[in-house]
Amino acid sequence: MQGALRKLLAGGFVASIFSLTMAVQAMTMNSLSPTQYNDIKQSALDKPQLDYDDIAPLLLQHQQNPLFQFTQLGQSALGTPIWQIDIGHGPVKILAWSQMHGNESTATAALMDLLNFIAAEPQKNWRDNWLSKVSIRLIPMVNPDGAAAGSRFNSMGIDINRDAKALQSPEGRILMQAAKDFKPDFGLNLHDQNRFYAVGDTNKQATISLLAPAFNEEKDIDEARKKAMQLIGDMRDLLQAELPGYLAKYNDTFSWRSFGDTFAGMGISTVLIESGGHPRDDNRQVARKLNAQLLVMSVESIGSGAYQQQPLSAYQAIPFNRDGGIKDVLIRNLGISVNGNKANIDLAVELDTGSDQGRVRDIGDLSVFGAYHQYDASGLQYQAPKAYALSKALTLDNAAYIALLRQGYSHFSGDAKLLVNSSDFPVVINPKGLSTATPQRHRLATFLLRNEKGVQLALLNGQLLDLNRAALLYPFGS
Ligand SMILES: [Zn+2]
């Protein structure tokens, strides 16, 4: 008995070691770990917007590498080259393209990271294994003119991603021709989405959104779309391990003019990857890293066929995107009073880093929304903005500025040249469109917050200054 028991235990022990090994293998199926990512991450791309000048020297450098075969596909309407990079010689073909919307450059940085990963010395085994199983074609920055202008559109004003049928833009024609020549099995369509998307009913940002685009109004699932959904199942597993809760599914309404939907109709298993916002991550470096990991994992999953193990229920379980579910700033429970009617409201502020302006976007019960920055104003009352009229030269240091704010002045009027701001805080001078007795939608987010002891905080163009701590609660746009 004892011998048999020992045998049984030993057997159980072996079995658990075995299943542990399997689990570790499953978890490490993504070969690009966060630590490893830091080694291959391309420097100098941590910026809000990339244009062709940012990637041109990197492309030139990789062009020397025999692993990468470069071909100039043509040029944008304004004459900037559009390149394709072919990697590997396997039978299964993957086409990935980025930045067809010029102001969506997150994945372009991830493609540069991917090139670094593949070229890196420690990846010899990876290359030997996967580059005989797949052929990869990358087209980074399909819309360099839009990138240079920081615009979604090309230089002719055309949205390239609504030009898949009309093909009036040279950039759209180049992308379509590349797909027709290459005949990929899989297409990875790399975009950015605005920072206000939430994951389903949660108040978390959709840092990544995925979609297997439909090829008809009925959203039918053919063999190609099924494979795309299954690959997304593997992507979901990776994202649940790396950043649980921040994955959503993009709107799946059929978009006849778009490239993803058109490629899906051409039998290409197409996956849309949208990079979104994340707290304290203005330049979307979180989404960029996840893109790089998704790209490496996709090569492995497609090369091995591992995605075929995924049930469609994994794809279907991803919650949809909720546009506007996230606000820049939410001030909760702020007291207001109108004609003797007291109320506690939530107030949402939208920040525009371009114009350095913050505006009131919404008022009321905003408990269903998440935010990049939140402040609980319980016990505080709205106090209307009031101008300090500049009549002579005034130099503000932190103490002098806070003293004026405590006296109830929120901004300055008059000759702006009279004011020298040497404080650490923003000043608002001659603002147009302030709220009055109560906060109003679309007005500038400049007012004071007070309790019975006096003014405690100032909202200055959307930035919240705590007078007692003499500190901004968050820097602009962070
Ligand atoms: Zn886009």
Side-chain angles (χ1 to χ4, degrees), residues 100-101 104 152 161 191-192 274:
M100 60 196 300
H101 291 141
E104 301 177 7
R152 173 181 177 90
N161 205 25
H191 288 257
D192 279 31
E274 295 270 357

Side-chain angles (χ1 to χ4, degrees), residues 4 49 107 156 186 235 240 250 283 303 308 312 317 364 403 418 444 471:
Q49 166 73 18
M156 309 155 115
F186 284 83
M235 292 178 170
Q240 275 185 344
Y250 202 77
N283 296 344
Q308 290 162 21
L312 292 190
L418 292 173
L444 288 182

